[in-house]
Amino acid sequence: MIKTSKLAVAVHSAILFGGVVGAQTALAAEQQSEQQEVERIQVTGSKIKRIGATAPTPVVVIGRTELEDAGVSNVNDFLAELPSASVGLSPENSNNFIYANGLNTTDLRGLGSDRTLVLVNGRRFLPGQAGGNSVDLNNIATSFIERIEISTGGASAVYGADAVAGVVNIITRKSFDGIEIDLATTEPLEGGGSQKFGSLTFGREFDGGGFIFNYDYTDQEQMARLDKDWYVDAVGSTPNPNDTSGDDGIPARIPIYDQEHYGLYDESSEFFLGGQQWTFDENLNLRPFDNGDGPLPGSGLPGAGTNWYYTGPFGDGIQYGVDEFFRTPLERHTFNLAGHQEVVDGHDLSFDVTYSESEAFGQGTPIFLRGDELVIRRDNAFIKDDLASLMDENGVEQINMRRLSDDFGPRKYSQDRSTFRVSVGLDGYINDNWTYSTYFQHGEMTQDTSWYGEVFTENLFNALDAVEYEGQVVCADRNEDGEVIGALQGCAPINFLGKPQHSAEALEYISTVAKAERGHEQSSFGATVTGDLMELPAGYVSSAFTYEWRRESAYETPGTGIRKGLIFGNSGLPYEGSLTVDEYAAEFLVPLVYDRYLMQEVNLEAAYRYMDYSSTGTDYAYKIGFTWQVNDDIRVRFAQARSVRAPNIGELYSSSGTQYAQERAEPCAADAIAKEDQYKEQVTRNCAAAGIPEGWVPSDDWRDGGSLEGKLGGNPNLDNEVSNDITVGFVYTPSFLEGFDITVDYWDFEIENAIAFFGYEDSIRNCYRSESLNNPFCDAFTRDPDTYEVVDFYETSLNASVEKLSGVDIESVYDFDTRIGGFKMKLIATYLNNYELNPTGNAEDNRTRTGEQHKPRWEARFTTEYQVGDLRTVFAANYTHATVEERPAWSIEDNNYNDIPSYTTFDINFDYTVNDHVDVRLGVQNLADRTPPRNPFAFTDGEYYDVIGRRVTAGVNVSF
């Protein structure tokens, strides 16, 4: 039999374990002990209902109060400050992600949002993107959250696929009796980005049941980059004109502390002719191009391309930072309704319904036109005498221009999302020893996307070919010899020789709004029974048996213009995909030793899950671990697990669509090979094996051609990735220091057959930096057989990588009272011991990347809470250790700004309880107005640094 003393030990351990119990839970346990009643509860990381809240794996708990103290209206903003988590997507880094603007996803261990399983009340939640599996935390109402439990480490054996990095279990409020209104605002002290928040919660408890309703509203305004003074005081980089080779000790790139404007693609059009660059003035007259203080010098490497950037006052070309956001605007509404009712004694029927709507949009530069896309013939009707004379002097019949065409406005990507989810559960007792829990849930997400500022390709080209015909300026209808034989009916000509006032007819003829609809459905059923199997000398063997079924389906339906390839630079095909999975799981808790010297309690824990996917077949996950309560002060734990992530629908089945590479990477160019260091031998050998002659360089037209166009899509040949992880830790709660505890856990991950998305830049570099051309990346792009220039590429996901990650988590709390008030200090820190990434899986391609910007050595959050009377003050510090941008491949030959300094921000918040019904709060985030490090790699990065700046938050909570 489980004795009362054992219950006391379990509860005591839970409090000191960094688990889920607080003062109220401990009091309840004490009352239960007095009544000789033992209640079993379920904690994150296990489905076994156990005595006390002792978690089987490390668990970090965030309560409602902590969220309120942080002054956040989205839970992802708080999770991003935890050392064990980072931002997946957010309004600060998703501006140019066409289908992801405004999403908020979390990323445990920095292993990717798709490897972090987000649960709501222990059940899967609907993905935030069609075809994906990461959850959009915009759909979780902050004011509806009771607490958040974060269990890091592989948990697939307990919860299924996707829990490779761990589980974020969001526990919502189950009961409420009364009405609560919460209003808050956040105001940055510079630039835009204001945020308004409001919530209404009401509910009622009655005999055997109750209900709760919640509504959250958030309006987060955009913040443009040029809104920030520190951004105007720019930091960039430029090729080093003194660099001559890859082994001269001279960096290839150096920082530049001034605004770098791009000296091509002017909004009035620009072109080269007669050895000079030209554009047009406000009167549409030809004039020389204005490069400000003059173009910056190019690299001194042989074969290096021309540097088209210039500094100083903005002249012509593209202005620094124009049409770019630091924060995507986001507006969201979230509704929740939950209830429960005891249907018969010991059996409880529950339900919860979620409906949310969000609207966000990203903004990019207007469309770029270049080369063959913007051809002006000599017979163009809009050519004035000055341009006509210049063309005649140089003996040309046409000119090829470049233009940043703001004639149709900036390209905005509007995202309208709606999510509906309903979950019904029935829980109860089978007998005094066994309980059951069942649920069924269904959810649907739809996403309507509109691209503004787009144009019909054929109509644009027709309108540009303007000629005078029968006394009228019309769109030319030409024969095969190029002779004008008439006017195209329905076409309105347009003039791109400068910036004239375009006719409404021309704009209507050319411009369009591209559209696409995406959707995702998820249905799931689960049943778990838990109870004791047998009694051993140390106690009962507890168990849980689970069956779960899930079906996911997704679709994408592009509008007619995209589907038929009629829209400039934007094409894609529809797709539908689905997968189902049946899962069977068993979990056991075996007490080995109880109440012995230095072994107050020793338990063995084991879990196994069998999975059968319609997409990738069968697989399995397991976990085995030990917990050892040495004495009242020390607890030790160990766990080893095999976790699985199955590829999602988008990775498997998404159709091919247009994609643009942001960088025209070309590792086989002579200047690129010259500045290679660590991989110079491999790159030289592989480029030669690919038939590319020594000393080859791509043409200036290719290099200056803007974003390279290719395709992206799914890969139906993907398989499951597998993670093997180990966790070893201890908890120390010294009896001589009341209120203090410290938890230390060492963790180690190795992910094999890892699923990773490879863009053009990564693929072409991995192809030639590998030991040979026998790797999966060299098939991802196509070269012209004559010029060797890349003309096409395909971006997709591959099972190619191996990732290894290890480190230490530290959590410590010291809670004590003094004559002047109560103090609570809390430290959460993570030390990264090692991170290795092998992009090909071949042993010779393994690269150590520990301490890079996305994987810093140390991350920590320290909070000090001070309570005196009705006033609570919380001071928080968030620290990121100094990092580097590139670890394995960097040398001084690359650049002289690889080192990125440490980064610390401070927050302070005040909460005052006016009376039993009114609570007010005031805070300042980023108290010192810390901007991102002045480093070209970090200066505009909203993923790792605070780009919003100092901001004041204020709120009031009224309940009655």
Side-chain angles (χ1 to χ4, degrees):
M1 296 291 293
I2 303 296
K3 303 177 179 64
T4 303
S5 59
K6 186 173 181 180
L7 171 63
V9 170
V11 172
H12 179 67
S13 301
I15 296 172
L16 306 181
F17 193 52
V20 299
V21 294
Q24 292 180 347
T25 308
L27 178 60
E30 183 179 339
Q31 293 170 344
Q32 291 169 350
S33 176
E34 292 173 354
Q35 300 170 5
Q36 297 297 307
E37 293 179 358
V38 177
E39 179 184 359
R40 293 172 179 261
I41 63 174
Q42 185 174 313
V43 297
T44 296
S46 172
K47 291 194 175 183
I48 294 177
K49 290 187 176 181
R50 57 190 68 209
I51 297 171
T54 303
T57 52
V59 176
V60 174
V61 180
I62 303 164
R64 284 175 48 79
T65 301
E66 288 184 81
L67 291 174
E68 292 172 354
D69 289 340
V72 299
S73 62
N74 191 294
V75 64
N76 198 35
D77 295 336
F78 185 90
L79 294 177
E81 295 183 351
L82 296 180
S84 60
S86 59
V87 173
L89 288 171
S90 75
E92 285 74 47
N93 69 8
S94 64
N95 180 54
N96 288 319
F97 288 66
I98 292 177
Y99 286 117
N101 293 321
L103 287 179
N104 270 290
T105 64
T106 191
D107 178 2
L108 291 180
R109 299 282 182 228
L111 289 173
S113 296
D114 287 333
R115 294 176 181 149
T116 298
L117 179 60
V118 175
L119 307 174
V120 175
N121 300 319
R123 302 169 186 172
R124 283 177 179 263
F125 198 82
L126 198 68
Q129 292 193 78
N133 59 310
S134 58
V135 171
D136 181 11
L137 295 174
N138 289 323
N139 296 318
I140 312 297
T142 309
S143 64
F144 198 56
I145 295 173
E146 183 66 34
R147 67 183 183 275
I148 302 171
E149 299 174 2
I150 302 173
S151 176
T152 53
S156 286
V158 177
Y159 294 109
D162 309 334
V164 171
V167 172
V168 177
N169 191 9
I170 300 173
I171 310 298
T172 61
R173 301 164 79 173
K174 299 295 190 303
S175 62
F176 188 74
D177 205 333
I179 299 175
E180 179 182 85
I181 299 173
D182 196 281
L183 301 173
T185 183
T186 300
E187 295 292 334
L189 299 187
E190 180 188 23
S194 296
Q195 185 169 281
K196 304 294 187 296
F197 171 80
S199 73
L200 169 66
T201 304
F202 64 84
R204 186 179 179 186
E205 291 296 307
F206 40 79
D207 185 28
F211 75 91
I212 181 173
F213 171 83
N214 168 265
Y215 166 66
D216 268 19
Y217 171 75
T218 303
D219 183 15
Q220 178 179 285
E221 297 178 0
Q222 73 182 53
M223 176 177 284
R225 290 191 173 185
L226 292 178
D227 287 343
K228 294 294 188 180
D229 288 342
W230 61 264
Y231 178 77
V232 176
D233 188 16
V235 177
S237 68
T238 188
N240 187 354
N242 297 319
D243 187 26
T244 59
S245 71
D247 55 7
D248 58 4
I250 299 173
R253 297 191 70 86
I254 54 177
I256 183 169
Y257 300 95
D258 203 348
Q259 293 185 20
E260 289 183 286
H261 307 300
Y262 191 45
L264 296 176
Y265 294 96
D266 190 78
E267 294 174 351
S268 295
S269 300
E270 52 82 19
F271 64 98
F272 287 86
L273 190 59
Q276 187 171 345
Q277 188 176 8
W278 302 91
T279 187
F280 302 88
D281 64 20
E282 61 275 9
N283 297 316
L284 312 186
N285 295 317
L286 198 63
R287 68 167 175 82
F289 192 89
D290 181 6
N291 272 310
D293 293 338
L296 291 168
S299 171
L301 292 171
T306 304
N307 190 352
W308 296 112
Y309 286 89
Y310 67 93
T311 61
F314 177 58
D316 295 322
I318 300 176
Q319 184 178 7
Y320 180 79
V322 71
D323 293 321
E324 296 182 12
F325 287 171
F326 269 135
R327 170 183 274 176
T328 292
L330 172 66
E331 183 178 14
R332 61 190 181 101
H333 305 261
T334 307
F335 301 84
N336 288 279
L337 176 64
H340 67 98
Q341 177 64 53
E342 188 177 50
V343 289
V344 295
D345 186 30
H347 300 272
D348 196 74
L349 179 67
S350 62
F351 73 91
D352 64 89
V353 180
T354 298
Y355 177 76
S356 68
E357 290 183 348
S358 66
E359 181 180 3
F361 73 84
Q363 181 170 311
T365 57
I367 64 170
F368 288 85
L369 299 171
R370 59 189 181 272
D372 293 339
E373 298 164 352
L374 185 47
V375 177
I376 302 297
R377 299 172 182 256
R378 176 62 180 83
D379 60 357
N380 190 286
F382 297 117
I383 289 180
K384 301 178 74 172
D385 291 342
D386 50 5
L387 177 56
S389 298
L390 180 64
M391 294 178 69
D392 292 342
E393 290 171 6
N394 287 274
V396 298
E397 291 299 320
Q398 68 179 42
I399 54 174
N400 297 74
M401 302 194 304
R402 285 171 292 263
R403 184 183 183 92
L404 180 63
S405 185
D406 67 341
D407 313 88
F408 315 102
R411 284 180 290 183
K412 294 184 178 181
Y413 314 114
S414 175
Q415 312 283 325
D416 293 327
R417 301 184 181 93
S418 64
T419 298
F420 172 77
R421 169 183 173 268
V422 59
S423 181
V424 180
L426 182 64
D427 301 79
Y429 289 92
I430 300 174
N431 54 37
D432 290 342
N433 188 40
W434 287 83
T435 65
Y436 72 91
S437 176
T438 63
Y439 73 89
F440 175 80
Q441 64 181 18
H442 178 77
E444 299 181 5
M445 186 276 292
T446 58
Q447 176 179 331
D448 293 324
T449 303
S450 299
W451 290 264
Y452 297 91
E454 300 291 343
V455 300
F456 288 114
T457 305
E458 185 176 0
N459 291 6
L460 173 63
F461 293 163
N462 289 340
L464 285 171
D465 192 8
V467 297
E468 187 172 339
Y469 182 76
E470 296 182 349
Q472 300 291 325
V473 176
V474 298
C475 304
D477 182 11
R478 299 178 184 268
N479 60 22
E480 293 181 358
D481 296 325
E483 299 169 338
V484 178
I485 58 175
L488 291 177
Q489 296 301 311
C491 175
I494 196 167
N495 182 11
F496 274 9
L497 303 177
K499 286 185 65 65
Q501 184 70 39
H502 301 307
S503 69
E505 292 79 9
L507 294 177
E508 183 178 358
Y509 174 69
I510 298 171
S511 62
T512 187
V513 177
K515 293 182 178 293
E517 180 184 331
R518 307 177 94 204
H520 192 110
E521 290 189 11
Q522 180 190 82
S523 298
S524 61
F525 167 80
T528 299
V529 293
T530 180
D532 296 334
L533 293 174
M534 66 178 70
E535 186 177 12
L536 298 178
Y540 282 98
V541 177
S542 301
S543 63
F545 300 94
T546 298
Y547 168 73
E548 290 182 308
W549 168 87
R550 187 173 83 255
R551 183 181 189 274
E552 310 263 2
S553 62
Y555 70 90
E556 179 176 346
T557 307
T560 303
I562 296 178
R563 194 167 60 250
K564 293 185 176 182
L566 303 177
I567 297 176
F568 185 82
N570 200 333
S571 64
L573 299 173
Y575 88 92
E576 292 185 20
S578 64
L579 60 84
T580 59
V581 57
D582 289 277
E583 300 179 90
Y584 306 85
E587 188 180 356
F588 303 96
L589 171 60
V590 182
L592 301 178
V593 180
Y594 173 67
D595 201 18
R596 296 288 187 269
Y597 177 67
L598 295 183
M599 289 188 291
Q600 286 189 0
E601 188 174 347
V602 180
N603 295 323
L604 166 68
E605 302 197 25
Y608 180 86
R609 178 171 289 250
Y610 173 82
M611 316 170 194
D612 187 358
Y613 276 88
S614 62
S615 54
T616 56
T618 61
D619 213 326
Y620 69 95
Y622 72 83
K623 180 180 71 174
I624 185 167
F626 292 89
T627 57
W628 171 24
Q629 185 76 44
V630 180
N631 51 38
D632 287 344
D633 292 0
I634 300 174
R635 184 178 184 87
V636 180
R637 59 192 173 207
F638 165 84
Q640 180 174 347
R642 180 187 195 268
S643 298
V644 171
R645 181 172 90 82
N648 58 49
I649 295 172
E651 291 169 328
L652 288 166
Y653 307 125
S654 61
S655 59
S656 176
T658 302
Q659 174 72 328
Y660 290 93
Q662 297 302 309
E663 178 188 352
R664 288 196 169 224
E666 182 43 85
C668 288
D671 56 314
I673 293 176
K675 64 183 181 184
E676 279 282 1
D677 181 23
Q678 181 176 350
Y679 303 104
K680 188 171 185 175
E681 179 183 348
Q682 292 95 318
V683 173
T684 302
R685 181 177 64 250
N686 287 329
C687 291
I692 299 173
E694 183 179 357
W696 172 83
V697 294
S699 66
D700 284 345
D701 286 342
W702 186 87
R703 278 178 158 164
D704 302 332
S707 300
L708 185 64
E709 183 176 335
K711 301 289 183 183
L712 85 165
N715 179 2
N717 297 316
L718 289 175
D719 202 351
N720 296 346
E721 64 179 22
V722 176
S723 171
N724 294 286
D725 59 89
I726 295 174
T727 303
V728 182
F730 72 90
V731 184
Y732 179 50
T733 56
S735 54
F736 62 84
L737 187 59
E738 185 178 356
F740 175 81
D741 71 76
I742 183 170
T743 301
V744 179
D745 286 285
Y746 170 81
W747 42 268
D748 185 291
F749 291 85
E750 181 172 353
I751 305 174
E752 299 175 337
N753 214 29
I755 302 170
F757 180 82
F758 292 94
Y760 164 72
E761 297 92 337
D762 289 332
S763 291
I764 196 169
R765 290 192 176 109
N766 288 336
C767 168
Y768 296 106
R769 285 182 173 180
S770 299
E771 283 300 305
S772 73
L773 296 178
N774 184 23
N775 63 72
F777 304 103
C778 293
D779 294 330
F781 55 92
T782 303
R783 294 184 180 274
D784 185 291
D786 298 320
T787 66
Y788 306 107
E789 294 170 348
V790 174
V791 293
D792 194 17
F793 63 84
Y794 188 75
E795 298 183 345
T796 192
S797 299
L798 299 170
N799 287 110
S801 303
V802 176
E803 292 188 55
K804 298 179 181 180
L805 192 73
S806 65
V808 177
D809 287 343
I810 302 171
E811 181 177 0
S812 183
V813 177
Y814 186 28
D815 194 345
F816 60 96
D817 293 324
T818 70
R819 288 179 296 179
I820 61 172
F823 290 86
K824 181 178 182 180
M825 299 178 182
K826 184 175 184 179
L827 171 69
I828 304 176
T830 294
Y831 172 75
L832 180 65
N833 176 63
N834 181 58
Y835 175 58
E836 298 177 25
L837 176 63
N838 187 327
T840 67
N842 298 323
E844 58 271 16
D845 294 327
N846 194 60
R847 301 160 190 177
T848 299
R849 306 184 66 175
T850 314
E852 291 185 344
Q853 185 173 208
H854 66 294
K855 291 288 190 296
R857 283 283 191 184
W858 279 102
E859 290 184 277
R861 177 177 172 84
F862 179 75
T863 58
T864 299
E865 179 181 326
Y866 172 62
Q867 178 90 41
V868 55
D870 294 322
L871 176 66
R872 186 177 76 255
T873 303
V874 180
F875 180 80
N878 299 287
Y879 171 78
T880 300
H881 193 61
T883 62
V884 297
E885 172 64 19
E886 178 72 34
R887 176 68 67 189
W890 179 87
S891 75
I892 191 60
E893 293 293 336
D894 298 311
N895 56 67
N896 61 353
Y897 49 84
N898 192 47
D899 293 327
I900 301 171
S902 63
Y903 185 78
T904 305
T905 60
F906 302 96
D907 306 329
I908 189 167
N909 292 276
F910 304 92
D911 187 286
Y912 181 70
T913 302
V914 179
N915 53 46
D916 291 341
H917 303 289
V918 180
D919 188 272
V920 295
R921 56 191 185 271
L922 179 68
V924 181
Q925 273 66 57
N926 196 348
L927 189 63
D929 199 22
R930 183 71 190 274
T931 60
R934 290 183 60 77
N935 180 289
F937 290 125
F939 185 59
T940 60
D941 199 318
E943 181 174 354
Y944 306 115
Y945 310 103
D946 185 352
V947 295
I948 306 302
R950 184 188 296 123
R951 50 205 181 272
V952 176
T953 65
V956 59
N957 184 284
V958 180
S959 60
F960 48 89

